[in-house]
Amino acid sequence: LCAEFLLQAVDGAAELLHLTRHFVALVLIPNIGNVDAVAVSISMALKGKMDLALTMALGSAVQVSLGLVPLLVLLCWWADLPLDLDLHGYETVVLMISA
C-alpha cells in the first residue's frame, strides 16, 4: 500500500520540482530514504573524516537505489503505471559510476 503511494508520488514530485522521473527515482528517493546515513556522513565530514563521509553517503545511496529502482519498475508494471528503465545518456552514466 505504501509502495503504491510512493509510485504515484514520483510523477507528482518530478513535475513539481521540474525534474525527470528517473532523477527523482534514482537520486532523491534513495537519499531521502537514507537520511540517517546522510546525517552521519555530515557529522563525519564536520570532524574532518572526509573519506569516511563520502564512503558512507555514496554507499548507502547506491545500495538503496540499486534495490529500489527495479522494485519501483516492477510495482509500476503491476499497478499499470508508466515507469521503465529507459535511461538516457546522463542517467546511464550516473548509474554506471555509482555501481
Side-chain angles (χ1 to χ4, degrees):
L1 183 62
C2 290
E4 285 186 36
F5 290 130
L6 179 63
L7 294 174
Q8 292 171 356
V10 167
D11 286 330
E15 186 177 319
L16 179 69
L17 298 171
H18 304 292
L19 300 170
T20 65
R21 291 184 311 186
H22 303 296
F23 183 81
V24 172
L26 288 170
V27 177
L28 291 184
I29 291 175
N31 283 316
I32 291 170
N34 250 359
V35 75
D36 58 335
V38 173
V40 172
S41 296
I42 292 171
S43 172
M44 291 295 118
L46 291 173
K47 293 179 182 178
K49 300 178 181 181
M50 291 304 291
D51 56 337
L52 182 59
L54 285 173
T55 301
M56 290 181 65
L58 292 175
S60 62
V62 167
Q63 184 179 21
V64 171
S65 66
L66 289 178
L68 184 64
V69 170
L71 179 64
L72 282 174
V73 170
L74 291 175
L75 288 173
C76 281
W77 174 67
W78 177 75
D80 199 25
L81 296 171
L83 180 66
D84 55 15
L85 285 179
D86 183 22
L87 304 177
H88 299 288
Y90 175 74
E91 291 92 356
T92 303
V93 170
V94 168
L95 190 60
M96 294 300 287
I97 289 172
S98 67

